[in-house]
Amino acid sequence: MVLRKKLNCLWTLSLCLVASKSLPKVPSITDQSFIDACVKSHNEMRGKVDPPAANMKHMTWDEGLAQIAEAWTKKCKFQHNTCLSKSYECHPAFQFVGENMWLGGFRIFTPKSAVVAWCNENKFYDINSPSCSRVCGHYTQVVWANSYKLGCAVRICPNLRGAETAVFVCNYGPAGNIRNVIPYTKGASCSMCAAGDTCAKKLCRKPKGKITITF
């Protein structure tokens, strides 16, 4: 009887060890490789818009926006953050914040795959109208020219929609998708950048802050 109990304990322990090894590692919002992947995939898609954009800004990471995204993913809900429609409710630096959400299997998830999926909605968007024949708000937010800050988070939700599901949320500052406004100005890439900006991969990029040394 004692031997049987010991064997049962060992069997249970082995199952737990196998299960723990099979669980994928979820990147945190401070994981530099995750941050880089989120920022790079957004900037790549922003630089590839067709027709080209004259005023598309280069995006950089914002810790506050990432914290907003992380807090919302913890709720494991497939709905938008309730703070988005309230002035300065989400982020102190932006009156309104934009948001994109992606659901799917975590084992097939990468930031780039989610951003590409959002941008595949461009086939439903007519920039001349402007109008959507189907859902295209994820695309227009990704390529909203004036959104220049980004923060994302991902979480595995065990029972969302009846299965283990990854929820990937990105927040944008300032918000895009203003009704009846096109996301960017058509024209030669970087032809409408602000004074002092450089053109980096077809995006208007602010120069890095200069360090002043005093003696």
Side-chain angles (χ1 to χ4, degrees):
M1 180 65 71
V2 174
L3 178 60
R4 182 179 295 176
K5 287 183 178 180
K6 287 184 177 179
L7 289 173
N8 286 337
C9 289
L10 289 171
W11 175 248
T12 302
L13 178 61
S14 65
L15 285 176
C16 290
L17 289 172
V18 169
S20 65
K21 287 181 180 179
S22 66
L23 290 174
K25 182 180 178 181
V26 180
S28 72
I29 60 173
T30 59
D31 184 323
Q32 193 59 51
S33 61
F34 174 72
I35 293 172
D36 291 344
C38 292
V39 173
K40 182 179 179 181
S41 57
H42 275 83
N43 283 327
E44 282 183 352
M45 300 310 293
R46 287 165 72 84
K48 292 179 179 179
V49 291
D50 184 24
N55 62 333
M56 187 72 72
K57 293 182 179 180
H58 177 270
M59 280 190 159
T60 56
W61 189 257
D62 184 88
E63 292 181 4
L65 291 172
Q67 290 168 3
I68 295 166
E70 181 183 50
W72 192 248
T73 60
K74 288 180 179 179
K75 295 183 181 294
C76 285
K77 296 179 179 179
F78 190 48
Q79 63 185 54
H80 284 296
N81 198 317
T82 54
C83 73
L84 298 179
S85 61
K86 302 172 184 177
S87 180
Y88 292 106
E89 184 75 16
C90 289
H91 194 291
F94 302 109
Q95 184 176 8
F96 295 104
V97 167
E99 185 175 76
N100 275 347
M101 300 185 72
W102 177 94
L103 258 66
F106 185 74
R107 298 180 191 282
I108 62 170
F109 164 79
T110 64
K112 184 173 182 177
S113 67
V115 176
V116 168
W118 290 333
C119 287
N120 283 341
E121 294 176 357
N122 66 345
K123 58 181 172 284
F124 306 126
Y125 181 66
D126 180 4
I127 197 171
N128 297 310
S129 301
S131 63
C132 299
S133 59
R134 289 173 59 182
V135 174
C136 68
H138 303 95
Y139 165 70
T140 52
Q141 174 59 83
V142 171
V143 301
W144 197 267
N146 287 330
S147 296
Y148 65 96
K149 284 293 185 179
L150 166 75
C152 305
V154 62
R155 183 177 182 85
I156 297 178
C157 296
N159 297 312
L160 185 62
R161 294 193 169 182
E164 187 175 84
T165 305
V167 178
F168 178 60
V169 174
C170 287
N171 287 118
Y172 306 87
N177 289 342
I178 300 172
R179 189 176 179 85
N180 297 323
V181 176
I182 62 173
Y184 62 86
T185 301
K186 294 182 290 182
S189 298
C190 299
S191 59
M192 292 179 62
C193 291
D197 285 1
T198 59
C199 186
K201 297 182 179 179
K202 301 182 179 181
L203 303 175
C204 301
R205 186 168 188 169
K206 294 290 183 187
K208 293 182 178 180
K210 296 181 179 179
I211 299 174
T212 302
I213 301 175
T214 56
F215 297 92

mmCIF file of all heavy atoms in Angstrom, residues 54-57 146 190-199 203-207:
data_model
loop_
_atom_site.group_PDB
_atom_site.id
_atom_site.type_symbol
_atom_site.label_atom_id
_atom_site.label_comp_id
_atom_site.label_asym_id
_atom_site.label_seq_id
_atom_site.Cartn_x
_atom_site.Cartn_y
_atom_site.Cartn_z
ATOM 1 N N ALA A 54 2.800 60.775 -46.697
ATOM 2 C CA ALA A 54 3.694 61.937 -46.636
ATOM 3 C C ALA A 54 4.045 62.309 -45.204
ATOM 4 O O ALA A 54 5.055 62.979 -44.971
ATOM 5 C CB ALA A 54 3.040 63.133 -47.332
ATOM 6 N N ASN A 55 3.228 61.863 -44.240
ATOM 7 C CA ASN A 55 3.371 62.358 -42.868
ATOM 8 C C ASN A 55 3.356 61.251 -41.816
ATOM 9 O O ASN A 55 2.985 61.480 -40.661
ATOM 10 C CB ASN A 55 2.246 63.348 -42.555
ATOM 11 C CG ASN A 55 0.861 62.698 -42.643
ATOM 12 O OD1 ASN A 55 0.656 61.719 -43.373
ATOM 13 N ND2 ASN A 55 -0.087 63.243 -41.904
ATOM 14 N N MET A 56 3.739 60.029 -42.176
ATOM 15 C CA MET A 56 3.674 58.898 -41.253
ATOM 16 C C MET A 56 4.786 58.977 -40.211
ATOM 17 O O MET A 56 5.971 58.968 -40.546
ATOM 18 C CB MET A 56 3.779 57.577 -42.018
ATOM 19 C CG MET A 56 3.541 56.347 -41.159
ATOM 20 S SD MET A 56 1.814 56.133 -40.670
ATOM 21 C CE MET A 56 1.090 55.643 -42.237
ATOM 22 N N LYS A 57 4.417 59.017 -38.940
ATOM 23 C CA LYS A 57 5.397 59.133 -37.862
ATOM 24 C C LYS A 57 5.961 57.770 -37.459
ATOM 25 O O LYS A 57 5.266 56.756 -37.492
ATOM 26 C CB LYS A 57 4.761 59.799 -36.640
ATOM 27 C CG LYS A 57 4.390 61.252 -36.859
ATOM 28 C CD LYS A 57 3.803 61.875 -35.602
ATOM 29 C CE LYS A 57 3.449 63.351 -35.826
ATOM 30 N NZ LYS A 57 2.874 63.969 -34.608
ATOM 31 N N ASN A 146 -0.553 60.144 -37.018
ATOM 32 C CA ASN A 146 -0.230 60.934 -35.837
ATOM 33 C C ASN A 146 -0.057 60.116 -34.568
ATOM 34 O O ASN A 146 0.358 60.653 -33.533
ATOM 35 C CB ASN A 146 -1.294 62.011 -35.617
ATOM 36 C CG ASN A 146 -1.180 63.135 -36.629
ATOM 37 O OD1 ASN A 146 -0.095 63.443 -37.111
ATOM 38 N ND2 ASN A 146 -2.301 63.740 -36.975
ATOM 39 N N CYS A 190 7.673 60.930 -46.395
ATOM 40 C CA CYS A 190 8.388 61.918 -45.575
ATOM 41 C C CYS A 190 8.331 63.347 -46.111
ATOM 42 O O CYS A 190 9.025 64.224 -45.593
ATOM 43 C CB CYS A 190 9.851 61.516 -45.377
ATOM 44 S SG CYS A 190 10.077 59.936 -44.530
ATOM 45 N N SER A 191 7.531 63.593 -47.134
ATOM 46 C CA SER A 191 7.499 64.932 -47.724
ATOM 47 C C SER A 191 6.804 65.954 -46.827
ATOM 48 O O SER A 191 6.924 67.163 -47.056
ATOM 49 C CB SER A 191 6.811 64.892 -49.091
ATOM 50 O OG SER A 191 5.483 64.412 -48.984
ATOM 51 N N MET A 192 6.111 65.490 -45.784
ATOM 52 C CA MET A 192 5.434 66.401 -44.871
ATOM 53 C C MET A 192 5.880 66.187 -43.412
ATOM 54 O O MET A 192 5.130 66.452 -42.475
ATOM 55 C CB MET A 192 3.912 66.243 -44.978
ATOM 56 C CG MET A 192 3.340 66.708 -46.304
ATOM 57 S SD MET A 192 1.521 66.488 -46.404
ATOM 58 C CE MET A 192 0.974 67.567 -45.079
ATOM 59 N N CYS A 193 7.116 65.744 -43.248
ATOM 60 C CA CYS A 193 7.642 65.566 -41.895
ATOM 61 C C CYS A 193 7.821 66.932 -41.227
ATOM 62 O O CYS A 193 8.024 67.944 -41.897
ATOM 63 C CB CYS A 193 8.986 64.846 -41.927
ATOM 64 S SG CYS A 193 8.895 63.108 -42.420
ATOM 65 N N ALA A 194 7.766 66.946 -39.902
ATOM 66 C CA ALA A 194 7.980 68.185 -39.158
ATOM 67 C C ALA A 194 9.434 68.634 -39.273
ATOM 68 O O ALA A 194 10.336 67.827 -39.538
ATOM 69 C CB ALA A 194 7.609 67.977 -37.692
ATOM 70 N N ALA A 195 9.659 69.920 -39.085
ATOM 71 C CA ALA A 195 11.016 70.465 -39.146
ATOM 72 C C ALA A 195 11.899 69.762 -38.122
ATOM 73 O O ALA A 195 11.519 69.576 -36.969
ATOM 74 C CB ALA A 195 10.990 71.966 -38.871
ATOM 75 N N GLY A 196 13.068 69.352 -38.571
ATOM 76 C CA GLY A 196 14.009 68.676 -37.686
ATOM 77 C C GLY A 196 13.910 67.166 -37.716
ATOM 78 O O GLY A 196 14.808 66.466 -37.232
ATOM 79 N N ASP A 197 12.810 66.629 -38.261
ATOM 80 C CA ASP A 197 12.664 65.179 -38.362
ATOM 81 C C ASP A 197 13.593 64.628 -39.443
ATOM 82 O O ASP A 197 13.924 65.329 -40.409
ATOM 83 C CB ASP A 197 11.228 64.790 -38.717
ATOM 84 C CG ASP A 197 10.276 64.931 -37.550
ATOM 85 O OD1 ASP A 197 10.724 65.355 -36.470
ATOM 86 O OD2 ASP A 197 9.078 64.633 -37.727
ATOM 87 N N THR A 198 13.969 63.369 -39.287
ATOM 88 C CA THR A 198 14.703 62.665 -40.337
ATOM 89 C C THR A 198 13.752 61.653 -40.967
ATOM 90 O O THR A 198 12.732 61.294 -40.372
ATOM 91 C CB THR A 198 15.932 61.945 -39.774
ATOM 92 O OG1 THR A 198 15.514 61.009 -38.762
ATOM 93 C CG2 THR A 198 16.915 62.937 -39.178
ATOM 94 N N CYS A 199 14.098 61.197 -42.156
ATOM 95 C CA CYS A 199 13.288 60.195 -42.834
ATOM 96 C C CYS A 199 13.964 58.836 -42.673
ATOM 97 O O CYS A 199 15.063 58.620 -43.189
ATOM 98 C CB CYS A 199 13.142 60.535 -44.319
ATOM 99 S SG CYS A 199 11.992 59.432 -45.192
ATOM 100 N N LEU A 203 9.481 56.810 -42.765
ATOM 101 C CA LEU A 203 8.771 57.336 -41.599
ATOM 102 C C LEU A 203 9.461 58.588 -41.076
ATOM 103 O O LEU A 203 10.691 58.703 -41.121
ATOM 104 C CB LEU A 203 8.729 56.280 -40.487
ATOM 105 C CG LEU A 203 8.102 54.936 -40.853
ATOM 106 C CD1 LEU A 203 8.241 53.969 -39.677
ATOM 107 C CD2 LEU A 203 6.637 55.089 -41.245
ATOM 108 N N CYS A 204 8.657 59.509 -40.564
ATOM 109 C CA CYS A 204 9.178 60.745 -39.977
ATOM 110 C C CYS A 204 9.654 60.454 -38.551
ATOM 111 O O CYS A 204 8.840 60.134 -37.673
ATOM 112 C CB CYS A 204 8.089 61.821 -39.944
ATOM 113 S SG CYS A 204 7.402 62.237 -41.572
ATOM 114 N N ARG A 205 10.942 60.574 -38.347
ATOM 115 C CA ARG A 205 11.523 60.182 -37.058
ATOM 116 C C ARG A 205 12.138 61.370 -36.348
ATOM 117 O O ARG A 205 12.938 62.118 -36.928
ATOM 118 C CB ARG A 205 12.579 59.103 -37.264
ATOM 119 C CG ARG A 205 13.133 58.516 -35.985
ATOM 120 C CD ARG A 205 13.943 57.284 -36.256
ATOM 121 N NE ARG A 205 14.315 56.603 -35.030
ATOM 122 C CZ ARG A 205 14.854 55.387 -34.975
ATOM 123 N NH1 ARG A 205 15.064 54.714 -36.104
ATOM 124 N NH2 ARG A 205 15.165 54.835 -33.823
ATOM 125 N N LYS A 206 11.764 61.541 -35.089
ATOM 126 C CA LYS A 206 12.337 62.607 -34.284
ATOM 127 C C LYS A 206 13.798 62.302 -33.988
ATOM 128 O O LYS A 206 14.151 61.153 -33.714
ATOM 129 C CB LYS A 206 11.572 62.750 -32.964
ATOM 130 C CG LYS A 206 10.142 63.215 -33.100
ATOM 131 C CD LYS A 206 10.072 64.662 -33.523
ATOM 132 C CE LYS A 206 8.635 65.152 -33.601
ATOM 133 N NZ LYS A 206 8.556 66.527 -34.170
ATOM 134 N N PRO A 207 14.664 63.320 -34.021
ATOM 135 C CA PRO A 207 16.071 63.072 -33.685
ATOM 136 C C PRO A 207 16.203 62.708 -32.217
ATOM 137 O O PRO A 207 15.432 63.177 -31.371
ATOM 138 C CB PRO A 207 16.744 64.407 -33.995
ATOM 139 C CG PRO A 207 15.651 65.421 -33.906
ATOM 140 C CD PRO A 207 14.406 64.723 -34.362
#
